[in-house]
Amino acid sequence: MDCLFCKIAAGEIPSTKVYEDDRILVFKDIDPKAPFHVLLIPKEHIDSAAKIDENNSSIVAHIFETAAKIAAENGLDGGFRIVTNVGEDGGQTVKHLHFHMLAGRSLAWPPG
Ligand code: AMP
Ligand code: ZN
């Protein structure tokens, strides 16, 4: 499958890694939208949050546990945002499940 984030997870395309284990990878977004902007992805290919089901949902818990640790390690005491875009209306450009973690500035709500 020709998937950018599968290739990053496999190490075939370089990334700036923040955290890695056997199931997930966290790396810096190449075009950061905030002073702190990382992407948390499962190594397993999942198209988007619309494809989460009882067989693969444990990865989401693991990703959020890891996000909390990353927040603590990086001193994100002012808060942060985790967002996942789904499909065309959601603004998803890479069709491999990923969670944006943004911090370091006040983030507008609601998003545009
Ligand atoms: P989305 O638009 O929600 O699908 O998010 C895709 C994100 O991937 C964007 O924020 C891009 O800046 C980011 N991105 C695209 N290519 C790369 C790459 N090679 N390394 C790191 N981040 C990337
Ligand atoms: Zn993929």
Side-chain angles (χ1 to χ4, degrees):
M1 187 189 299
D2 192 27
C3 171
L4 174 63
F5 285 178
C6 280
K7 288 178 180 167
I8 287 178
E12 293 165 14
I13 291 176
S15 66
T16 304
K17 288 180 195 174
V18 172
Y19 173 84
E20 181 174 22
D21 63 28
D22 56 331
R23 289 185 287 166
I24 69 171
L25 176 67
V26 184
F27 57 99
K28 291 189 177 175
D29 195 293
I30 204 167
D31 181 18
K33 314 299 189 294
F36 183 94
H37 186 177
V38 299
L39 302 172
L40 301 98
I41 69 166
K43 290 188 170 178
E44 171 195 11
H45 182 89
I46 299 170
D47 286 347
S48 76
K51 295 292 172 66
I52 299 294
D53 60 27
E54 66 273 20
N55 298 310
N56 61 20
S57 60
S58 68
I59 200 75
V60 179
H62 183 50
I63 283 172
F64 273 74
E65 288 170 16
T66 303
K69 287 180 189 160
I70 288 172
E73 286 167 7
N74 287 274
L76 305 183
D77 302 325
F80 58 91
R81 180 172 296 167
I82 295 175
V83 65
T84 187
N85 299 324
V86 180
E88 196 174 338
D89 284 355
Q92 183 182 10
T93 60
V94 178
K95 311 298 189 216
H96 179 128
L97 177 65
H98 55 280
F99 294 85
H100 298 260
M101 183 174 181
L102 303 138
R105 66 174 174 83
S106 182
L107 298 160
W109 190 262

